[in-house]
């Protein structure tokens, strides 16, 4: 699949609460930065932060968008995310059904 602006991609992040996640997704949808987002069940994250091992309950959040929306989406995530350094992992999509891919494009590139 080419690196075109309409190529589907998946972005992974985490948020601390269901309220945070739903408000976050609603704002991103309103700006057509994502076609949809999914909030998974709570997980327990263990990580090193500022030299200390931390433990936190978090909700995994999956954002479905297109490559062309990544710069604006990353800026919005940085601006809205409650963490100082939010998770931002972009996964390429090797294949999507034509109908789903077109829906993603229509939702993220409405013009």
């Amino acid at each position: 699949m080419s690196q075109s602006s309409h190529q589907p991609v998946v972005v992974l992040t985490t948020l601390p609460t269901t309220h945070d996640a739903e408000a976050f997704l609603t704002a991103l949808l309103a700006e057509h930065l994502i076609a949809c987002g999914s909030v998974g069940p709570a997980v327990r994250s263990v990580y090193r932060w500022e030299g200390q091992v931390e433990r936190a309950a978090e909700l995994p959040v999956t954002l479905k968008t297109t490559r062309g929306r990544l710069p604006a989406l990353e800026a919005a995530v940085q601006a809205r995310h409650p963490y100082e350094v939010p998770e931002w992992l972009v996964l390429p999509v090797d294949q999507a059904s034509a109908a789903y891919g077109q829906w993603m494009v229509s939702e993220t590139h409405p013009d």
Side-chain angles (χ1 to χ4, degrees):
M1 191 173 267
S2 73
Q3 295 288 310
S4 80
S5 66
H6 292 170
Q7 178 188 14
V9 294
V10 172
V11 176
L12 304 179
T13 194
T14 56
L15 285 154
T17 70
T18 301
H19 174 76
D20 289 332
E22 290 186 9
F24 189 75
L25 292 176
T26 300
L28 299 178
L29 282 167
E31 294 181 35
H32 296 276
L33 296 174
I34 61 172
C36 66
S38 303
V39 180
V43 296
R44 189 84 175 145
S45 295
V46 180
Y47 55 95
R48 187 176 308 279
W49 179 251
E50 297 181 346
Q52 301 294 316
V53 174
E54 302 286 339
R55 291 167 175 78
E58 297 182 300
L59 299 170
V61 177
T62 305
L63 309 173
K64 292 95 171 189
T65 191
T66 55
R67 186 161 295 283
R69 297 304 278 157
L70 284 175
L73 177 58
E74 184 174 16
V77 168
Q78 294 296 328
R80 289 186 174 86
H81 205 286
Y83 296 164
E84 184 178 339
V85 180
E87 178 179 352
W88 173 262
L89 299 173
V90 179
L91 307 175
V93 173
D94 289 334
Q95 185 174 342
S97 71
Y100 192 84
Q102 185 54 47
W103 172 76
M104 287 180 69
V105 170
S106 69
E107 290 302 311
T108 57
H109 301 267
D111 298 335

